[in-house]
Amino acid sequence: MVSRFRTLVLAAALGVATVVPAVVASSGPAQSADAPVRVMPLGDSITAGPGCWRAKLWNRLQTAGYTNVDFVGTQSDGGGCNPGYAYDSDHEGHGGFSATGIAANNQLPPWLAAARPDVVLMHLGTNDMWGGYIPLADKLTAFTKLVGQMRAANPAVKVVVAQIIPISAAACSTCPADVRALNDAIPGWAAGLSTSQSPITVADLWTGYDAVADNTDGIHPNDTGFRKMADAWFPAVARVLGGTPPPTTTPPTTTPPTGTCAATYTVTGQWAGGFQGEVTVRNTSSATTAGWTATFAFSAGQRISQAWNATVTQTGSTVTARDASWNGRLAPGASASFGFTATATGSNPSPAVTCALS
């Protein structure tokens, strides 16, 4: 809680009304001298016990300069992750709980009343997968109800929703496809529910996560899995907290690429008035690259509304995407993907994508 981390709070002042106080290091917005930003990790056993992604994320936020942050919740792991450094152990993870169950039983409002979060990090849905009998629509309806309860408690709450980590087929034969279906639906659902006062940000915890190698039992993360989770949470949480933090390490020196790159564009989902897309950039050069850029132009008036795993801008019809720093370093043959949602009022032809390495 706050009292245990009071010495970490930076001293610069910022007046705060209904927005989350900025907490970025000296290169970003000014720090709040008032109450820390209250961040509630919400989930099931992957968040609860031991839920060591929370410790790793807390440490990464601190070392990157986001020191005016207080993890909150009615639960605590008591420092049981033993990562070798102090961390804020408060959370709202409940082993065995499902999103549909929490919503149906109205369990979230009292947790919110106790924790009073400014930001909620939600990794829920794993326990809604067993047996494949809960329809996707019911899961999304539960997500919508939970967000509504968050906003009832705090109209300016910022929500970061995870595309959840995968489940192995050995642990649950129907789960891999159901997890993929939920994760594919989350960006479009988030875009439709997000508001300027209470934005919903998507954190991609699914891409690059191995359900066998990164889990202990096909479901719960091992230390590598927790690290991957923290790494995937970090850029999304950093954006919500007020900007892009300074790098914590000096990027390794690389030899300038001597070849080219290849990029592919895929529409992964479509609905009335909008769609979800994904672009993959592959390093086809003979050397490791420090970064990449992808460019394409829409021809039917499509507009980007949200993007993840890249810094994406649109000027007129031209869309430019740059790596998110943590996924810019690609070995020869390696690839990185970013996703986005966009509006489309009529036809939705797929554009050609060009890319460049740096």
Side-chain angles (χ1 to χ4, degrees):
M1 294 297 291
V2 177
S3 59
R4 288 176 286 152
F5 299 95
R6 199 56 89 170
T7 57
L8 295 174
V9 180
L10 297 185
L14 174 68
V16 179
T18 58
V19 298
V20 173
V23 292
V24 187
S26 57
S27 64
Q31 293 266 354
S32 170
D34 300 318
V37 180
R38 300 173 66 84
V39 177
M40 186 175 84
L42 171 65
D44 45 44
S45 59
I46 294 170
T47 297
C52 294
W53 65 263
R54 294 179 287 100
K56 296 179 187 298
L57 176 60
W58 168 263
N59 185 62
R60 185 161 181 187
L61 289 169
Q62 297 296 303
T63 56
Y66 294 91
T67 55
N68 198 15
V69 172
D70 180 19
F71 277 15
V72 296
T74 64
Q75 309 298 303
S76 174
D77 64 36
C81 285
N82 299 313
Y85 46 77
Y87 66 96
D88 192 335
S89 60
D90 298 315
H91 64 88
E92 203 62 69
H94 297 267
F97 282 42
S98 64
T100 52
I102 294 171
N105 295 314
N106 292 312
Q107 291 168 303
L108 182 58
W111 301 342
L112 294 168
R116 297 177 292 107
D118 302 303
V119 179
V120 177
L121 312 182
M122 188 172 85
H123 186 284
L124 274 175
T126 300
N127 290 315
D128 298 271
M129 298 297 160
W130 310 126
Y133 66 90
I134 299 178
L136 174 61
D138 289 359
K139 298 166 191 172
L140 295 177
T141 297
F143 277 20
T144 299
K145 181 176 180 178
L146 296 177
V147 170
Q149 291 174 335
M150 295 173 199
R151 289 172 172 168
N154 176 4
V157 68
K158 275 62 179 172
V159 186
V160 186
V161 176
Q163 291 173 295
I164 65 174
I165 63 173
I167 301 171
S168 74
C172 168
S173 61
T174 60
C175 287
D178 286 348
V179 170
R180 180 63 183 264
L182 174 65
N183 286 342
D184 284 348
I186 282 175
W189 164 84
L193 198 61
S194 186
T195 67
S196 58
Q197 183 183 26
S198 176
I200 301 175
T201 301
V202 176
D204 182 3
L205 273 65
W206 187 87
T207 301
Y209 193 105
D210 190 312
V212 176
D214 298 328
N215 284 335
T216 60
D217 54 3
I219 306 162
H220 298 92
N222 55 29
D223 189 67
T224 300
F226 282 133
R227 176 182 55 77
K228 286 187 175 182
M229 289 184 71
D231 288 347
W233 277 117
F234 178 73
V237 175
R239 287 195 298 273
V240 169
L241 293 178
T244 303
T248 56
T249 58
T250 302
T253 302
T254 59
T255 303
T258 57
T260 59
C261 58
T264 57
Y265 178 103
T266 306
V267 173
T268 59
Q270 196 155 324
W271 54 92
F275 68 99
Q276 180 180 332
E278 182 178 85
V279 173
T280 298
V281 176
R282 185 166 63 91
N283 179 9
T284 57
S285 76
S286 59
T288 298
T289 179
W292 49 264
T293 302
T295 305
F296 56 90
F298 287 129
S299 60
Q302 303 99 316
R303 299 291 303 179
I304 298 288
S305 54
Q306 186 177 28
W308 51 96
N309 295 339
T311 300
V312 178
T313 58
Q314 182 171 355
T315 303
S317 62
T318 302
V319 177
T320 302
R322 293 178 174 83
D323 65 86
S325 71
W326 51 270
N327 64 356
R329 181 177 168 83
L330 299 178
S335 62
S337 298
F338 68 91
F340 62 89
T341 56
T343 59
T345 57
S347 62
N348 183 28
S350 295
V353 184
T354 60
C355 59
L357 305 178
S358 59

